[in-house]
Amino acid sequence: MLKPKKGSAFEIGHMTIEKDGIPCTCGKIGCFERYASMKSLKDKIRKEYNLGLDVHSRELMQILGNGSELSNKLLDGYLYNLKIGIANLIDLFEPEAICIGGSFAYYEDLFIEPLKHKLFEANATFNGRKDIEIFTAQLQNDAGIIGACMIEK
Ligand SMILES: [Zn+2]
């Protein structure tokens, strides 16, 4: 099996989506995860609504879905950045489906349809490709760890 020499292969979260972007912990700037991770979204909601760390995910997502102008702007900006990264992956790998895991999966109602709209109605993909299923991981936040446990040595 081919193994990465420096452990940096397939670091999707660190592909650049903003050339003059936010510095990342990896040393680069404008990384995908700085704009489209759930952590980045929660940090932005906390910052814009002046909330502390004591406000947890469920409350933050309720705020995000409250329909206010600010929340809609935050959601739209987040999904725009997510669209850029996913569209790049679609153009690179030509998948039949994209499955999004992590805590994103707990808020499918808030994210999936608007994300599909951005990906498919705005012609974000090569040749306007629209035949890709977008869904959330059934195992939600546990998908990664369960998958890791299933790997045989
Ligand atoms: Zn990075």
Side-chain angles (χ1 to χ4, degrees), residues 13-14 24-26 28 31:
H14 298 283
C24 181
T25 56
C26 75
K28 294 172 52 182
C31 290

Side-chain angles (χ1 to χ4, degrees), residues 35-106:
Y35 295 88
S37 67
M38 285 300 285
K39 181 185 181 318
S40 72
L41 176 61
K42 292 171 190 174
D43 289 348
K44 190 135 188 161
I45 296 167
R46 283 192 180 98
K47 180 182 175 194
E48 294 297 323
Y49 278 98
N50 199 24
L51 302 170
L53 293 174
D54 58 326
V55 181
H56 297 287
S57 295
R58 186 168 296 166
E59 295 165 272
L60 293 171
M61 293 307 120
Q62 286 173 343
I63 291 167
L64 188 64
N66 70 11
S68 72
E69 187 175 330
L70 177 56
S71 291
N72 288 343
K73 182 179 167 191
L74 291 172
L75 180 59
D76 190 63
Y78 170 75
L79 291 171
Y80 178 81
N81 291 323
L82 188 59
K83 174 199 78 173
I84 292 171
I86 289 177
N88 287 337
L89 294 170
I90 289 170
D91 292 342
L92 186 62
F93 294 107
E94 197 178 357
E96 293 177 11
I98 300 279
C99 180
I100 305 173
S103 56
F104 185 97
Y106 296 109

